[in-house]
Amino acid sequence: MSMIRDLRAVVRPSSRVSLRKDASPSYDTTRDPATPSAVVDCAVYRDGARVQTAKPLTPQEAMRQVRRDGGFVWIGLHEPTEAEFAGIAGEFGLHPLAVEDAVQAHQRPKLERYDDSLFTVFKTIHYVEHDQLTANSEVVETGEVMCFTGRDFFITVRHGGQGSLRALRHRLQDDPELLAKGPSAVLHAIADHVVDGYIAVADAVQDDIDEVETEVFSPGRRGGVSRGVDSARIYQLKREVLEFKRAVAPLLRPMQLLSERPMRLIDPDIQKYFRDVADHLARVQEQVLGFDELLNSILQANLAQASVAQNEDMRKITSWAAIVAVPTMVCGVYGMNFDYMPETHWRFGYPVIMAITGVICLGIHRTLKRNGWL
């Protein structure tokens, strides 16, 4: 669409860097001393451009300027307390239930509509680099981004040390035509940014699963039977995938609503782009569900291999016990103190008995070896 120039290029970097190759999260907790302690950035946008001011604006000053001259205000906060958020909530008329969720965090991804605003919760996912997957490895780290979308304001509340929106804000500021569409353009950009993060994390988790799968099905073998790997590692990976699924699955319905249902706070030119976000999110959801099923299969295979290995050990122990039983029986018989026993006074009795015992043991060994027990 000519009105929105290269929307995807604006909200997405031109190339996605693999999370497994020195891609570290950017932390954006810098706060201006002139603004409340939780405010990361506060700016007024008019006609798609950021309004430059002599000093940083407070949220109240920014809102007064918007009501006087038009445009919208975008306020970014990082882990605000209830007291820090109370003034902003009152200034913008935010619903108390949404304010409570934004302050307390640990919310399920969702979309809620109030009289004059939309409240959207996103779970951000960061892949934690590790040299080797262990039973205690943290694979994914989660954070949260809460968005309040109004007619002339957009407020983001972040929780967690990752999920910075500074780079995204700068990319949006480089496209005035897109920002001129208002707060809904920012909401789409954040949704697309979060889902792009899911895609990158899914690719990295896939590498971890492939590594575990390779170890389970192609490990060092002993006697032709796999010894398996530590099941705790697979359980840990399943727990991390479950955390990933909790972020992805609940978000699909809100994205579908934003793309399909007309909303007065969402610009019609922007709404159709939410369909692209929903499609990518559906793909990630299918991938994560596939991870869960694949890990179940890997775990069952690993347990089966461990059981086979134990059975092999028991067969070997049983085989050697059968061989040792022959000389034990002979020694037990001839160890009895009877005066009248065959061959006890025969010169060749001892070598004959030992030879017979050795032949029997050798025959049992060859039979068990031929049957694969040794």
Side-chain angles (χ1 to χ4, degrees):
M1 178 178 295
S2 59
M3 297 180 62
I4 304 177
R5 183 162 34 86
D6 296 329
L7 178 61
R8 291 170 61 88
V10 173
V11 298
R12 296 178 184 168
S14 57
S15 61
R16 184 181 299 120
V17 179
S18 171
L19 294 184
R20 298 184 66 87
K21 297 181 180 179
D22 302 327
S24 58
S26 57
Y27 295 87
D28 183 12
T29 56
T30 304
R31 294 163 180 168
D32 193 281
T35 58
S37 60
V39 177
V40 177
D41 199 355
C42 176
V44 173
Y45 296 90
R46 189 176 303 116
D47 298 327
R50 179 168 180 153
V51 176
Q52 300 299 323
T53 58
K55 63 177 183 177
L57 296 174
T58 65
Q60 291 76 15
E61 291 172 343
M63 196 59 195
R64 285 196 296 267
Q65 190 177 125
V66 166
R67 288 168 180 168
R68 184 183 66 242
D69 302 325
F72 75 95
V73 57
W74 179 0
I75 303 172
L77 300 100
H78 182 257
E79 297 183 353
T81 64
E82 186 175 354
E84 289 171 332
F85 200 34
I88 297 176
E91 180 69 28
F92 293 91
L94 304 180
H95 196 280
L97 292 177
V99 171
E100 182 181 359
D101 289 346
V103 172
Q104 293 182 355
H106 305 294
Q107 302 298 316
R108 189 172 183 266
K110 60 184 177 180
L111 171 66
E112 293 180 345
R113 289 177 289 181
Y114 296 100
D115 293 337
D116 299 318
S117 65
L118 291 175
F119 178 60
T120 315
V121 177
F122 299 96
K123 284 276 191 181
T124 57
I125 298 292
H126 166 62
Y127 179 79
V128 180
E129 291 287 346
H130 47 265
D131 296 330
Q132 184 178 9
L133 182 67
T134 67
N136 299 315
S137 293
E138 185 179 16
V139 179
V140 296
E141 180 184 3
T142 61
E144 292 178 59
V145 177
M146 286 85 161
C147 302
F148 294 88
T149 308
R151 182 181 57 84
D152 51 9
F153 66 86
F154 190 83
I155 302 173
T156 58
V157 181
R158 289 196 301 111
H159 290 269
Q162 49 83 29
S164 170
L165 301 175
R166 170 175 286 181
L168 177 63
R169 185 188 285 258
H170 290 167
R171 287 201 301 271
L172 285 171
Q173 290 174 173
D174 290 337
D175 192 330
E177 186 177 354
L178 177 58
L179 267 181
K181 294 296 180 180
S184 61
V186 183
L187 178 61
H188 167 267
I190 291 177
D192 195 70
H193 174 74
V194 170
V195 173
D196 267 1
Y198 292 167
I199 295 174
V201 171
D203 292 340
V205 172
Q206 178 70 67
D207 292 341
D208 281 334
I209 295 176
D210 290 343
E211 180 181 338
V212 170
E213 185 178 24
T214 299
E215 291 184 15
V216 169
F217 291 102
S218 301
R221 293 173 178 269
R222 190 179 76 187
V225 179
S226 170
R227 312 309 296 177
V229 299
D230 184 10
S231 297
R233 294 172 58 194
I234 305 177
Y235 275 117
Q236 176 65 16
L237 195 52
K238 275 182 63 65
R239 283 195 296 267
E240 297 298 303
V241 168
L242 178 60
E243 186 73 16
F244 194 3
K245 184 165 65 174
R246 287 172 179 166
V248 174
L251 187 59
L252 184 58
R253 183 56 181 164
M255 291 300 101
Q256 290 173 341
L257 289 175
L258 287 171
S259 65
E260 298 170 358
R261 184 170 299 177
M263 299 182 186
R264 59 188 179 86
L265 293 174
I266 304 298
D267 189 288
D269 291 334
I270 296 295
Q271 185 173 29
K272 57 177 63 71
Y273 288 96
F274 280 104
R275 188 178 302 116
D276 180 64
V277 177
D279 289 342
H280 288 178
L281 186 62
R283 191 188 75 182
V284 175
Q285 183 184 26
E286 292 174 358
Q287 195 172 3
V288 173
L289 292 176
F291 290 164
D292 195 37
E293 294 178 2
L294 182 58
L295 284 170
N296 284 334
S297 300
I298 293 173
L299 181 60
Q300 293 299 322
N302 186 65
L303 294 177
Q305 288 177 346
S307 178
V308 169
Q310 291 175 352
N311 290 338
E312 179 201 13
D313 293 339
M314 289 304 300
R315 284 188 307 194
K316 290 183 178 182
I317 293 173
T318 304
S319 299
W320 285 110
I323 294 172
V324 172
V326 174
T328 301
M329 181 187 67
V330 173
C331 292
V333 170
Y334 282 90
M336 293 184 294
N337 296 320
F338 291 114
D339 289 333
Y340 301 101
M341 292 186 66
E343 298 86 24
T344 52
H345 300 289
W346 184 33
R347 178 181 298 179
F348 302 104
Y350 175 77
V352 170
I353 293 299
M354 293 302 295
I356 294 174
T357 302
V359 169
I360 295 174
C361 290
L362 181 61
I364 295 174
H365 183 275
R366 292 190 62 182
T367 300
L368 295 173
K369 187 80 171 178
R370 186 168 56 250
N371 292 334
W373 282 55
L374 289 173

